Amino acid sequence: MARRDPVIDGRVRLRVGVATDRAQRPRNEDAVWTQDGAFLVADGMGGHERGEEASRTAIEVLAVLAQGAPTPEEARGVVHEAHAAVRALPKGTGRRPGTTVTGVVLTEHDGVPCWLVINVGDSRTYRMAGAVLEQVTHDHSEVAELVAAGVVPAEDASRHPRRNVVTRVLGGGSRQVDPDVWLLPVSPGDRMLMCSDGLTDALSDARIEAELRAADDPQDAADRLIAAALAAGGTDNVTAVVVDATLTRRSA
């Protein structure tokens, strides 16, 4: 993996906020990484044994992406390593441990600063540009597939009884995993949000957008999102990572 180009760090200034809460669960099975240009959220599967250990293991493996300026191919390789590491965890008395993962890594392509987007499962990465929120990732879930097929209306997805059934995870029963990995150019004023489904189950995209608009500071924004999810009756572990990016001029 190539070393991170100092030009990237010199051209993109980042401000970060992170907040998490176990809500009404006995423990918090979410794990995060928010250092050195890598911002990742993993959500241990509540229906599996050892969800907390699964999310932590995945993040520990994926953290290597912060040490360089990875390409999509390199990132896929690291995701496969994380999948194998989670599958190697003790099975316990139930099913194999599993976890989702989503997030971005600051990298570059042809000299252009880019977000390297990574996603497996139904945790989400959003981008807000020009005060408009856009979901960047696609959920790997039964309901998302039904919506895409036109079987379930999009407005009913958040209330569907199988909305939390994921079709891709790190670990779990599958020997292989096919992660979504691609490049997204960094735009001036980007605000990126990485979150577990504890946030999106409790809040609509419109409410998430409103909370992000209401706070200039990324830590305040992350705190507002968690507070809003809990106030809305959210019962699942909930995590939000907010990253603001500012592009600066390249030095002569």
Side-chain angles (χ1 to χ4, degrees):
M1 186 181 303
R3 295 183 61 184
R4 186 178 299 280
D5 187 339
V7 172
I8 299 176
D9 298 322
R11 294 173 62 195
V12 182
R13 295 178 182 173
L14 302 175
R15 295 191 302 156
V16 185
V18 57
T20 188
D21 197 283
R22 66 182 176 89
Q24 298 180 30
R25 297 296 176 88
R27 63 181 62 84
N28 194 340
E29 296 182 335
D30 290 354
V32 299
W33 178 274
T34 58
Q35 299 179 46
D36 301 323
F39 308 97
L40 304 166
V41 172
D43 179 0
M45 305 305 295
H48 295 262
E49 296 288 332
R50 303 179 186 269
E52 184 177 4
E53 188 174 0
S55 61
R56 184 176 66 249
T57 298
I59 289 295
E60 288 173 351
V61 175
L62 292 166
V64 72
L65 295 170
Q67 298 177 10
T71 65
E73 292 74 19
E74 290 169 337
R76 286 191 186 91
V78 176
V79 174
H80 291 154
E81 292 174 10
H83 178 63
V86 176
R87 276 184 55 82
L89 293 173
K91 187 175 178 181
T93 58
R95 292 171 292 175
R96 291 182 180 275
T99 182
T100 70
V101 68
T102 196
V104 296
V105 181
L106 183 63
T107 188
E108 72 168 351
H109 179 68
D110 291 338
V112 176
C114 292
W115 302 114
L116 176 62
V117 183
I118 299 169
N119 191 69
V120 178
D122 64 350
S123 294
R124 293 180 181 176
T125 294
Y126 291 86
R127 177 169 68 171
M128 193 166 75
V132 176
L133 187 69
E134 173 192 12
Q135 183 178 336
V136 173
T137 54
H138 302 283
D139 295 351
H140 301 143
S141 69
E142 283 192 9
V143 169
E145 293 176 359
L146 292 172
V147 170
V151 176
V152 173
E155 59 270 20
D156 294 341
S158 63
R159 299 184 298 272
H160 196 280
R162 294 182 66 80
R163 64 188 180 277
N164 292 321
V165 178
V166 295
T167 55
R168 297 186 212 177
V169 297
L170 298 183
S174 299
R175 292 186 176 276
Q176 297 181 341
V177 66
D178 182 20
D180 290 342
V181 181
W182 71 94
L183 294 171
L184 183 69
V186 178
S187 298
D190 271 353
R191 168 166 277 189
M192 307 300 292
L193 167 65
M194 284 60 66
C195 62
S196 58
D197 69 344
L199 185 74
T200 53
D201 282 349
L203 302 179
S204 66
D205 282 5
R207 180 63 186 278
I208 292 172
E209 180 181 281
E211 296 298 338
L212 289 172
R213 285 181 175 180
D216 291 334
D217 180 76
Q219 185 60 56
D220 289 345
D223 291 338
R224 287 182 66 98
L225 288 168
I226 300 305
L230 298 176
T235 61
D236 196 3
N237 303 155
V238 55
T239 298
V241 175
V242 180
V243 180
D244 289 351
T246 303
L247 289 176
T248 62
R249 292 180 179 274
R250 184 193 294 267
S251 299

